[in-house]
Amino acid sequence: LVSAVFGIMWKEKLTQDDIYSHLWNVTFEGTTCSVLACFANPVEGTYDRSPTSGDIDEGESRFFSSLAVPLAKGQKGSFSGSSANFDFVVDDAAVGEVDESDIVVTLYSPWGGVQKSEDDKDKEKKDDKNASSLTMTNYPKCKKVASQLSGSMDSDWIASTETKTKCLRLSNAWFEFFQGLNSWKRDRRTLGWLPTKPQSPPWNVDEITIIGLLLNSDSKFKKSWTNILQYAFLNRTESATSMKWYLLKGKESYRIEHYGRGMTNENRIKLAKRLARKNMLGLFDIGTPKKDPHPNARLESQLRKHGIIDDGTDDFERKRLCVQYRGIFD
């Protein structure tokens, strides 16, 4: 499943990551684990962390075959990793016939970049000739799905007016958050903490990519903001986004010149919409911003977590330990 989705992501240029960069967590019918074996480094045979008792060491097949309840139509699950999160639904538990002409994705191969000897190539040819007489069908099969996104500069990627309303409400909440004294800064003279306005978060890769794709598709800022950017960048103002837009268009154009290379303008806009939806949903998950906790409270929480202080620690000792560990757990 992950291999098929990664094939789609590579085909649509949605990722430059490698399938072996990290573990994938699979959740299905209330069971959660990390799938390991398919995602070891194919050359070195290593994992990105040591397996635990909750991990499956033989990949998806072992996981699904170990379920207490057999596969049935309508069951739901999900995969999550650093590169992508996706849900899946069991369409059928039986193997059926699939028209190979409908298949749009070849399963991702980890050995594509590995140099093979002539003997290995000859052996592969013999194996292919023997395999051609077999009727076994490989799965999963990924059929082409009609894209619901257009390549025009409009807001068709927003599912409903309710979603737009939610975006505007959350955008206003972020604006008020940045206007209020909802963060803290260190007083250099007293070394105490003073309330201050929060700073905007650094621009992440997806945000830069969205702007880069729109710039490289010859889109104008005002239309881009109205139809895409205001819903994707809920925690940023129009003026701040405009400044970043024209900075990337001018002095920092080298950062985005390769985004969407080889794609048509329509496909660049489609990809920008996909990434915009991803960014929007991520901000939905964060929800309404809240005032930052006092740094001393955060530090004390870390000290409790590490067992350095507890409810029995008196005030003097607690303050002394906070001073001692300041800068370590901040």
Side-chain angles (χ1 to χ4, degrees), residues 31-305:
T31 303
T32 301
C33 75
S34 296
V35 179
L36 283 175
C38 292
F39 311 113
N41 183 301
V43 178
E44 300 177 3
T46 58
Y47 302 111
D48 62 353
R49 69 164 172 79
S50 300
T52 67
S53 58
D55 294 328
I56 297 297
D57 61 357
E58 294 180 13
E60 296 170 9
S61 302
R62 167 90 174 267
F63 175 72
F64 288 112
S65 64
S66 65
L67 294 171
V69 179
L71 287 174
K73 184 174 182 177
Q75 291 175 322
K76 298 180 180 181
S78 64
F79 276 90
S80 62
S82 299
S83 298
N85 301 313
F86 63 91
D87 300 325
F88 63 91
V89 179
V90 178
D91 184 63
D92 202 332
V95 175
E97 293 297 325
V98 178
D99 186 348
E100 295 295 323
S101 63
D102 291 336
I103 308 305
V104 295
V105 174
T106 302
L107 294 188
Y108 179 89
S109 172
W111 305 100
V114 178
Q115 295 294 329
K116 300 175 182 177
S117 66
E118 292 300 323
D119 291 339
D120 289 336
K121 292 179 181 178
D122 291 338
K123 185 176 183 302
E124 279 187 0
K125 291 179 181 178
K126 293 179 181 178
D127 291 341
D128 290 341
K129 187 177 292 185
N130 294 333
S132 63
S133 62
L134 301 176
T135 57
M136 180 180 294
T137 305
N138 294 321
Y139 282 83
K141 299 293 185 181
C142 292
K143 296 182 181 180
K144 188 172 184 178
V145 179
S147 175
Q148 297 178 347
L149 302 176
S150 71
S152 59
M153 184 52 66
D154 53 40
S155 57
D156 63 334
W157 62 282
I158 301 292
S160 63
T161 54
E162 289 79 7
T163 303
K164 289 185 177 181
T165 301
K166 183 177 180 180
C167 286
L168 296 176
R169 186 165 55 246
L170 191 55
S171 178
N172 290 333
W174 276 103
F175 179 79
E176 292 176 2
F177 172 75
F178 286 119
Q179 292 300 307
L181 301 177
N182 292 309
S183 189
W184 304 90
K185 68 176 182 179
R186 179 67 63 83
D187 187 320
R188 293 184 179 180
R189 183 176 62 84
T190 64
L191 298 182
W193 293 99
L194 300 174
T196 187
K197 291 183 178 180
Q199 294 183 343
S200 298
W203 290 85
N204 61 42
V205 175
D206 281 348
E207 291 173 321
I208 298 296
T209 304
I210 292 169
I211 294 177
L213 288 167
L214 294 174
L215 279 169
N216 292 339
S217 66
D218 297 326
S219 300
K220 303 301 181 184
F221 174 76
K222 191 62 181 180
K223 277 193 173 182
S224 298
W225 173 260
T226 301
N227 294 294
I228 298 178
L229 299 180
Q230 69 167 324
Y231 303 112
F233 303 162
L234 300 177
N235 57 345
R236 301 192 187 279
T237 62
E238 182 177 359
S239 59
T241 306
S242 175
M243 289 177 62
K244 193 65 177 178
W245 175 282
Y246 289 106
L247 185 63
L248 290 171
K249 186 178 181 179
K251 290 174 59 178
E252 296 185 1
S253 59
Y254 64 90
R255 296 181 60 185
I256 60 165
E257 60 186 8
H258 62 286
Y259 289 143
R261 180 175 292 172
M263 300 171 68
T264 64
N265 284 347
E266 286 190 354
N267 286 335
R268 290 179 183 129
I269 293 174
K270 285 182 181 180
L271 181 51
K273 288 179 178 179
R274 290 179 183 175
L275 292 175
R277 178 182 292 167
K278 172 189 172 185
N279 207 63
M280 178 187 72
L281 294 177
L283 290 168
F284 279 179
D285 290 339
I286 295 174
T288 304
K290 299 178 180 178
K291 183 175 181 177
D292 295 340
H294 195 285
N296 286 344
R298 289 203 302 266
L299 176 57
E300 186 173 329
S301 176
Q302 289 294 322
L303 294 179
R304 287 181 179 276
K305 181 179 178 181

